[in-house]
PDB file of all heavy atoms in Angstrom:
ATOM      1  N   GLN A  90      -9.567   7.428  -0.712  1.00 97.00           N
ATOM      2  CA  GLN A  90      -9.863   6.012  -0.533  1.00 97.00           C
ATOM      3  C   GLN A  90      -9.401   5.455   0.800  1.00 97.00           C
ATOM      4  O   GLN A  90      -9.820   4.363   1.184  1.00 97.00           O
ATOM      5  CB  GLN A  90      -9.158   5.190  -1.643  1.00 97.00           C
ATOM      6  CG  GLN A  90      -9.673   5.461  -3.006  1.00 97.00           C
ATOM      7  CD  GLN A  90      -9.056   4.531  -4.020  1.00 97.00           C
ATOM      8  OE1 GLN A  90      -9.775   3.855  -4.722  1.00 97.00           O
ATOM      9  NE2 GLN A  90      -7.759   4.456  -4.067  1.00 97.00           N
ATOM     10  N   TRP A  91      -8.556   6.188   1.513  1.00 97.00           N
ATOM     11  CA  TRP A  91      -7.937   5.644   2.715  1.00 97.00           C
ATOM     12  C   TRP A  91      -8.905   5.114   3.773  1.00 97.00           C
ATOM     13  O   TRP A  91      -8.663   4.057   4.357  1.00 97.00           O
ATOM     14  CB  TRP A  91      -6.944   6.634   3.340  1.00 97.00           C
ATOM     15  CG  TRP A  91      -6.133   5.989   4.398  1.00 97.00           C
ATOM     16  CD1 TRP A  91      -6.273   6.136   5.758  1.00 97.00           C
ATOM     17  CD2 TRP A  91      -5.101   5.051   4.190  1.00 97.00           C
ATOM     18  NE1 TRP A  91      -5.346   5.343   6.404  1.00 97.00           N
ATOM     19  CE2 TRP A  91      -4.613   4.654   5.460  1.00 97.00           C
ATOM     20  CE3 TRP A  91      -4.491   4.484   3.077  1.00 97.00           C
ATOM     21  CZ2 TRP A  91      -3.574   3.747   5.641  1.00 97.00           C
ATOM     22  CZ3 TRP A  91      -3.464   3.572   3.228  1.00 97.00           C
ATOM     23  CH2 TRP A  91      -3.021   3.200   4.514  1.00 97.00           C
ATOM     24  N   PRO A  92     -10.039   5.782   4.033  1.00 96.00           N
ATOM     25  CA  PRO A  92     -10.937   5.239   5.071  1.00 96.00           C
ATOM     26  C   PRO A  92     -11.345   3.804   4.829  1.00 96.00           C
ATOM     27  O   PRO A  92     -11.448   3.026   5.794  1.00 96.00           O
ATOM     28  CB  PRO A  92     -12.130   6.195   5.020  1.00 96.00           C
ATOM     29  CG  PRO A  92     -11.535   7.504   4.569  1.00 96.00           C
ATOM     30  CD  PRO A  92     -10.506   7.084   3.523  1.00 96.00           C
ATOM     31  N   VAL A  93     -11.577   3.409   3.586  1.00 96.00           N
ATOM     32  CA  VAL A  93     -11.903   2.037   3.258  1.00 96.00           C
ATOM     33  C   VAL A  93     -10.638   1.208   3.018  1.00 96.00           C
ATOM     34  O   VAL A  93     -10.490   0.098   3.529  1.00 96.00           O
ATOM     35  CB  VAL A  93     -12.830   1.957   2.050  1.00 96.00           C
ATOM     36  CG1 VAL A  93     -13.047   0.493   1.616  1.00 96.00           C
ATOM     37  CG2 VAL A  93     -14.147   2.626   2.338  1.00 96.00           C
ATOM     38  N   LEU A  94      -9.700   1.790   2.306  1.00 97.00           N
ATOM     39  CA  LEU A  94      -8.492   1.064   1.934  1.00 97.00           C
ATOM     40  C   LEU A  94      -7.722   0.593   3.185  1.00 97.00           C
ATOM     41  O   LEU A  94      -7.177  -0.527   3.210  1.00 97.00           O
ATOM     42  CB  LEU A  94      -7.590   2.003   1.108  1.00 97.00           C
ATOM     43  CG  LEU A  94      -6.363   1.410   0.449  1.00 97.00           C
ATOM     44  CD1 LEU A  94      -6.723   0.232  -0.465  1.00 97.00           C
ATOM     45  CD2 LEU A  94      -5.619   2.477  -0.327  1.00 97.00           C
ATOM     46  N   ARG A  95      -7.721   1.383   4.229  1.00 96.00           N
ATOM     47  CA  ARG A  95      -7.004   1.007   5.455  1.00 96.00           C
ATOM     48  C   ARG A  95      -7.543  -0.263   6.071  1.00 96.00           C
ATOM     49  O   ARG A  95      -6.860  -0.931   6.831  1.00 96.00           O
ATOM     50  CB  ARG A  95      -7.018   2.175   6.468  1.00 96.00           C
ATOM     51  CG  ARG A  95      -8.361   2.428   7.105  1.00 96.00           C
ATOM     52  CD  ARG A  95      -8.405   3.651   8.022  1.00 96.00           C
ATOM     53  NE  ARG A  95      -7.437   3.598   9.095  1.00 96.00           N
ATOM     54  CZ  ARG A  95      -7.635   2.986  10.255  1.00 96.00           C
ATOM     55  NH1 ARG A  95      -8.757   2.334  10.467  1.00 96.00           N
ATOM     56  NH2 ARG A  95      -6.700   2.988  11.164  1.00 96.00           N
ATOM     57  N   THR A  96      -8.815  -0.607   5.770  1.00 95.00           N
ATOM     58  CA  THR A  96      -9.390  -1.847   6.292  1.00 95.00           C
ATOM     59  C   THR A  96      -9.069  -3.034   5.418  1.00 95.00           C
ATOM     60  O   THR A  96      -9.324  -4.169   5.787  1.00 95.00           O
ATOM     61  CB  THR A  96     -10.932  -1.719   6.429  1.00 95.00           C
ATOM     62  OG1 THR A  96     -11.527  -1.635   5.139  1.00 95.00           O
ATOM     63  CG2 THR A  96     -11.308  -0.498   7.260  1.00 95.00           C
ATOM     64  N   LEU A  97      -8.549  -2.788   4.206  1.00 96.00           N
ATOM     65  CA  LEU A  97      -8.283  -3.860   3.266  1.00 96.00           C
ATOM     66  C   LEU A  97      -6.822  -4.293   3.237  1.00 96.00           C
ATOM     67  O   LEU A  97      -6.492  -5.349   2.709  1.00 96.00           O
ATOM     68  CB  LEU A  97      -8.693  -3.433   1.841  1.00 96.00           C
ATOM     69  CG  LEU A  97     -10.169  -3.051   1.663  1.00 96.00           C
ATOM     70  CD1 LEU A  97     -10.404  -2.528   0.257  1.00 96.00           C
ATOM     71  CD2 LEU A  97     -11.069  -4.245   1.977  1.00 96.00           C
ATOM     72  N   VAL A  98      -5.933  -3.424   3.735  1.00 96.00           N
ATOM     73  CA  VAL A  98      -4.511  -3.751   3.769  1.00 96.00           C
ATOM     74  C   VAL A  98      -4.143  -4.355   5.126  1.00 96.00           C
ATOM     75  O   VAL A  98      -4.913  -4.234   6.107  1.00 96.00           O
ATOM     76  CB  VAL A  98      -3.614  -2.521   3.470  1.00 96.00           C
ATOM     77  CG1 VAL A  98      -3.896  -1.993   2.059  1.00 96.00           C
ATOM     78  CG2 VAL A  98      -3.814  -1.434   4.515  1.00 96.00           C
ATOM     79  N   SER A  99      -2.995  -4.972   5.192  1.00 94.00           N
ATOM     80  CA  SER A  99      -2.543  -5.552   6.486  1.00 94.00           C
ATOM     81  C   SER A  99      -2.326  -4.461   7.511  1.00 94.00           C
ATOM     82  O   SER A  99      -2.098  -3.310   7.189  1.00 94.00           O
ATOM     83  CB  SER A  99      -1.257  -6.337   6.264  1.00 94.00           C
ATOM     84  OG  SER A  99      -0.141  -5.467   6.136  1.00 94.00           O
ATOM     85  N   ARG A 100      -2.387  -4.838   8.764  1.00 93.00           N
ATOM     86  CA  ARG A 100      -2.164  -3.871   9.828  1.00 93.00           C
ATOM     87  C   ARG A 100      -0.755  -3.294   9.772  1.00 93.00           C
ATOM     88  O   ARG A 100      -0.534  -2.148  10.159  1.00 93.00           O
ATOM     89  CB  ARG A 100      -2.463  -4.472  11.196  1.00 93.00           C
ATOM     90  CG  ARG A 100      -1.488  -5.499  11.677  1.00 93.00           C
ATOM     91  CD  ARG A 100      -1.861  -6.010  13.064  1.00 93.00           C
ATOM     92  NE  ARG A 100      -0.881  -6.931  13.578  1.00 93.00           N
ATOM     93  CZ  ARG A 100      -0.915  -8.232  13.375  1.00 93.00           C
ATOM     94  NH1 ARG A 100      -1.884  -8.775  12.671  1.00 93.00           N
ATOM     95  NH2 ARG A 100       0.023  -9.012  13.853  1.00 93.00           N
ATOM     96  N   HIS A 101       0.197  -4.088   9.281  1.00 93.00           N
ATOM     97  CA  HIS A 101       1.579  -3.570   9.172  1.00 93.00           C
ATOM     98  C   HIS A 101       1.644  -2.427   8.161  1.00 93.00           C
ATOM     99  O   HIS A 101       2.267  -1.396   8.442  1.00 93.00           O
ATOM    100  CB  HIS A 101       2.524  -4.693   8.781  1.00 93.00           C
ATOM    101  CG  HIS A 101       2.437  -5.892   9.653  1.00 93.00           C
ATOM    102  ND1 HIS A 101       2.763  -5.858  10.995  1.00 93.00           N
ATOM    103  CD2 HIS A 101       2.019  -7.151   9.404  1.00 93.00           C
ATOM    104  CE1 HIS A 101       2.569  -7.051  11.534  1.00 93.00           C
ATOM    105  NE2 HIS A 101       2.104  -7.860  10.587  1.00 93.00           N
ATOM    106  N   ILE A 102       1.011  -2.626   7.024  1.00 95.00           N
ATOM    107  CA  ILE A 102       0.989  -1.538   6.013  1.00 95.00           C
ATOM    108  C   ILE A 102       0.241  -0.337   6.586  1.00 95.00           C
ATOM    109  O   ILE A 102       0.728   0.793   6.478  1.00 95.00           O
ATOM    110  CB  ILE A 102       0.301  -2.046   4.707  1.00 95.00           C
ATOM    111  CG1 ILE A 102       1.152  -3.127   4.054  1.00 95.00           C
ATOM    112  CG2 ILE A 102       0.062  -0.872   3.763  1.00 95.00           C
ATOM    113  CD1 ILE A 102       0.447  -3.842   2.904  1.00 95.00           C
ATOM    114  N   ARG A 103      -0.900  -0.561   7.149  1.00 96.00           N
ATOM    115  CA  ARG A 103      -1.722   0.528   7.736  1.00 96.00           C
ATOM    116  C   ARG A 103      -0.925   1.315   8.755  1.00 96.00           C
ATOM    117  O   ARG A 103      -0.857   2.538   8.715  1.00 96.00           O
ATOM    118  CB  ARG A 103      -2.984  -0.011   8.364  1.00 96.00           C
ATOM    119  CG  ARG A 103      -3.881   1.042   8.906  1.00 96.00           C
ATOM    120  CD  ARG A 103      -5.213   0.502   9.432  1.00 96.00           C
ATOM    121  NE  ARG A 103      -5.038  -0.475  10.505  1.00 96.00           N
ATOM    122  CZ  ARG A 103      -5.267  -1.769  10.404  1.00 96.00           C
ATOM    123  NH1 ARG A 103      -5.682  -2.311   9.247  1.00 96.00           N
ATOM    124  NH2 ARG A 103      -5.104  -2.592  11.422  1.00 96.00           N
TER     125      ARG A 103
END
Side-chain angles (χ1 to χ4, degrees):
Q90 295 185 125
W91 191 255
V93 173
L94 189 58
R95 71 185 303 277
T96 68
L97 302 175
V98 298
S99 76
R100 70 178 184 272
H101 307 295
I102 294 171
R103 182 175 61 249

